[in-house]
Amino acid sequence: MDTFEYNPNPGRVVFGSGTLEKLPDEAARMNLSAPLVLATPRQLACTELVKGLLKGNVAGVFSEAAMHTPIHVTEKALDYAKANGADSIISIGGGSTIGLGKAISFRVGIPHICIPTTYAGSEMTPILGETIDGVKRTQSDPKILPSTVIYDVDLTMTLPSAMSATSGINAIAHAGQLSRRLPTPTVEALYAYNTNPIIDLMAVEGIRALASVLPQIVKDPSSRSARSLALYGAWLCGTCLGSVGMSIHHKLCHTLGGSFNLPHAETHTAVLPHAISYNATVVPTAMKKLAEALPESNGNAIHGLNVLLEKLQVKRDLKYYGLKEGDIDKAAEAVAGSSYWNPREIEKEAIRELIRRVWAGEPAK
Ligand code: NAD
């Protein structure tokens, strides 16, 4: 077996159905007495559940979390947290709410309990992406990691089927990201130290779990067993993202999402097959593993992803979400202009063509 390094991220996970009930115990374990509860305006009802369970013992509720963690929202929430003497954060919601929770807890140095309600996986990563003047900046620090994560399948039952589909593909993108770091005859000498069989197991298992149940959730969003497996897959895939670096797929999505204000999970969904296809020729081992985890792939990961996206009936053209044809060059410039690890060299013309195909909604080849 190759030499590798494995750095598990610390953090406590409580998983199941009805697990929100365990929140008071979790807060008591951590000696929290005045948590600030975070949500988006749409999930205000969830904050009432939290307040009820904690018998009103909260510093307050801030329900203005927004996509891509805009810094002005964080500053407003920070002022509110300080004014109300918050000693901790409880974020209940998707990646937007969890991102705000991370931004506050990291700045102030207070503990953070996450209660995820989508499959985005942010709760498992030491990564914080924030938008400042329309540009998304990402930083990674172990202190960004939440202390405790409560996964309650019941809270995901209301996630609409279209969002379940794109959020699930967003999660697969995290694990697919890892798969592209697996050693290949081409990059093994340079990247072997990054490989890690434990995280690899999680990636394959996470992709397999999500890919097997997402079509079922789209057909029947009330299937608790399918939802449970999807949340389990999301946890594993989020762990993958939290344990390895990012490459072309996340760079594309951050640039498109942050600079052109495109929706996060939908952008990941449209970009993923193209990003994988861009790297495919230089990572044959990873492509084989990905194909094995995807049902109906016939041994071809891109085909498997195309079939999955077809079944999920998701939109695949970014022009639908507002990306302009004139933005293609700007996006290509930004993606090609910054430095980050990727198994294949970043070629500006090829990146431009990739973005054009995603803009037009042409399937990946
Ligand atoms: P989101 O958090 O923006 O949620 C989208 C909408 O769905 C919101 O209005 C939310 O309130 C609502 N919603 C969430 N769960 C629901 C449920 N169960 N039922 C009904 N409505 C529900 O979407 P997201 O895709 O989870 O998160 C996207 C954000 O997370 C982006 O800003 C992205 O950058 C960030 N993210 C960060 C990381 C990381 O590691 N730092 C990882 C993944 C995503």
Side-chain angles (χ1 to χ4, degrees):
M1 183 167 258
D2 292 319
T3 304
F4 63 89
E5 290 176 12
Y6 174 53
N7 292 299
N9 286 325
R12 181 174 158 79
V13 171
V14 179
F15 186 97
S17 171
T19 38
L20 185 62
E21 302 275 332
K22 299 193 177 177
L23 179 61
D25 291 346
E26 293 303 319
R29 280 179 105 248
M30 293 162 68
N31 281 327
L32 312 183
S33 57
L36 173 66
V37 186
L38 303 177
T40 63
R42 188 162 144 189
Q43 288 181 290
L44 204 52
C46 290
T47 66
E48 289 303 319
L49 285 176
V50 168
K51 268 168 70 182
L53 282 165
L54 296 178
K55 301 195 171 28
N57 291 321
V58 299
V61 169
F62 184 89
S63 60
E64 296 173 37
M67 188 77 84
H68 304 309
T69 327
I71 200 132
H72 68 274
V73 175
T74 301
E75 280 163 0
K76 191 172 172 192
L78 269 171
D79 288 345
Y80 184 81
K82 281 179 195 154
N84 291 281
D87 70 352
S88 53
I89 301 291
I90 295 178
S91 59
I92 182 159
S96 298
T97 305
I98 293 168
L100 177 61
K102 286 169 154 182
I104 301 171
S105 89
F106 183 52
R107 281 177 175 76
V108 187
I110 53 178
H112 179 193
I113 297 182
C114 272
I115 308 166
T117 62
T118 69
Y119 307 132
S122 176
E123 65 281 357
M124 280 297 133
T125 82
I127 304 161
L128 172 61
E130 298 180 282
T131 316
I132 306 155
D133 299 330
V135 178
K136 192 154 185 176
R137 301 239 179 276
T138 303
Q139 57 180 321
S140 182
D141 190 302
K143 292 192 209 83
I144 291 170
L145 264 181
S147 326
T148 296
V149 179
I150 300 178
Y151 285 108
D152 187 339
V153 178
D154 300 3
L155 296 170
T156 65
M157 301 303 293
T158 49
L159 194 64
S161 35
M163 270 185 66
S164 302
T166 52
S167 191
I169 298 294
N170 181 197
I172 287 178
H174 303 332
Q177 185 75 18
L178 167 83
S179 296
R180 292 199 295 283
R181 301 197 74 167
L182 296 175
T184 71
T186 329
V187 296
E188 189 169 6
L190 276 176
Y191 297 108
Y193 82 93
N194 277 330
T195 60
N196 173 341
I198 311 299
I199 292 292
D200 183 26
L201 284 174
M202 289 193 197
V204 171
E205 171 79 354
I207 293 170
R208 205 187 299 279
L210 279 158
S212 68
V213 293
L214 286 177
Q216 200 184 331
I217 291 174
V218 167
K219 268 198 202 136
D220 176 14
S222 67
S223 167
R224 197 170 299 268
S225 57
R227 291 281 194 186
S228 182
L229 205 52
L231 194 58
Y232 164 72
W235 166 27
L236 295 177
C237 291
T239 305
C240 295
L241 178 65
S243 305
V244 296
M246 303 185 208
S247 58
I248 185 72
H249 173 77
H250 281 77
K251 186 70 204 171
L252 278 162
C253 293
H254 284 177
T255 303
L256 291 166
S259 306
F260 304 100
N261 204 27
L262 301 177
H264 175 83
E266 292 82 349
T267 304
H268 271 268
T269 302
V271 168
L272 184 64
H274 297 273
I276 292 187
S277 163
Y278 182 85
N279 285 332
T281 52
V282 297
V283 289
T285 311
M287 293 302 286
K288 189 164 174 276
K289 292 199 180 217
L290 194 52
E292 282 164 9
L294 291 166
E296 299 178 56
S297 72
N298 293 332
N300 180 326
I302 302 297
H303 175 70
L305 272 174
N306 282 335
V307 171
L308 179 61
L309 295 187
E310 200 75 28
K311 282 192 175 174
L312 299 180
Q313 295 161 26
V314 287
K315 285 268 171 215
R316 300 179 66 175
D317 52 327
L318 288 187
K319 65 180 171 195
Y320 174 83
Y321 295 110
L323 187 70
K324 306 268 182 305
E325 193 169 7
D327 293 335
I328 297 173
D329 279 324
K330 277 186 250 166
E333 199 78 46
V335 172
S338 48
S339 66
Y340 47 91
W341 183 89
N342 192 62
R344 176 179 158 192
E345 202 181 328
I346 299 300
E347 295 157 25
K348 190 165 160 212
E349 263 321 295
I351 292 293
R352 192 201 178 278
E353 175 58 9
L354 185 164
I355 297 172
R356 189 202 63 74
R357 291 184 75 85
V358 186
W359 168 81
E362 293 169 20
K365 291 190 274 194

